[in-house]
Amino acid sequence: MEIYLLIMGLLVVLSMANPIIKKEEINKLLFTAIAVILILLAGLRHYSVGRDTLQYINAYTGITPLDRYELGFSSFLNLLYKFSTDFQFLIFVSSVIIFIPIMYLIFRHSKNYYFSLYLLIAFNYYAIYLNAMRQSMGMAPRPILGVSAIKDST
């Protein structure tokens, strides 16, 4: 919990300093560093973090039959299992799939990266993504597709 508070404190400071930091390269570098930290925190978390993580680990390791899940998710688990039998690999790859599109969207469309990341954590969206792995992976590309659709229609 302390790490999240530390990150949020850092984001508040950087958010206020954002207008002062003149070089966009520095802002992009700081954003990328914080985004990588958030993705690593999500990907390297303990299996007890997240309400449904343990049931997906059981499916991944073969304890639970895959036929109770959608074909796409079952295929995803089978594909990952061919690369590694360690369930931490599932958590890490899922976190990358979930958070890369969100970070990309913030990076491309936010004027204040840090405030956007702060809101992601403060409004519990970050925690929700940790709690609903399968649903979050299904929703991950939607924000980018939505912004593209809005831009195409204007």
Side-chain angles (χ1 to χ4, degrees):
M1 183 65 164
E2 293 84 12
I3 189 75
Y4 296 111
L5 294 174
L6 181 68
I7 289 172
M8 288 182 72
L10 177 64
L11 289 171
V12 167
V13 170
L14 289 172
S15 183
M16 290 187 292
N18 189 46
I20 299 168
I21 302 172
K22 300 293 184 200
K23 290 192 173 189
E24 188 62 25
E25 298 83 32
I26 294 173
N27 273 325
K28 288 180 179 180
L29 182 66
L30 288 171
F31 168 79
T32 303
I34 294 172
V36 166
I37 289 169
L38 288 172
I39 291 170
L40 287 174
L41 276 174
L44 300 175
R45 71 184 185 267
H46 192 263
Y47 65 86
S48 64
V49 176
R51 211 167 263 230
D52 60 356
T53 306
L54 188 57
Q55 75 179 11
Y56 298 138
I57 288 171
N58 288 339
Y60 185 71
T61 57
I63 296 170
T64 305
L66 289 178
D67 60 355
R68 75 179 276 206
Y69 299 109
E70 299 86 6
L71 178 63
F73 187 70
S74 298
S75 301
F76 172 71
L77 292 180
N78 283 326
L79 178 68
L80 288 184
Y81 198 79
K82 290 179 181 178
F83 290 101
S84 174
T85 58
D86 184 10
F87 64 82
Q88 195 66 47
F89 186 65
L90 165 67
I91 295 173
F92 187 80
V93 171
S94 299
S95 297
V96 168
I97 290 170
I98 293 166
F99 288 109
I100 291 288
I102 295 167
M103 298 306 173
Y104 175 78
L105 190 68
I106 291 172
F107 185 77
R108 294 280 300 170
H109 301 287
S110 178
K111 292 185 184 194
N112 190 331
Y113 307 134
Y114 316 115
F115 188 63
S116 297
L117 288 175
Y118 178 83
L119 292 176
L120 180 75
I121 298 170
F123 287 146
N124 256 356
Y125 289 112
Y126 186 76
I128 289 169
Y129 291 127
L130 299 179
N131 281 310
M133 180 190 305
R134 192 174 87 231
Q135 296 82 357
S136 297
M137 283 194 306
M139 294 301 294
R142 304 266 187 313
I144 293 173
L145 296 173
V147 169
S148 298
I150 290 170
K151 284 188 172 186
D152 289 345
S153 69
T154 57

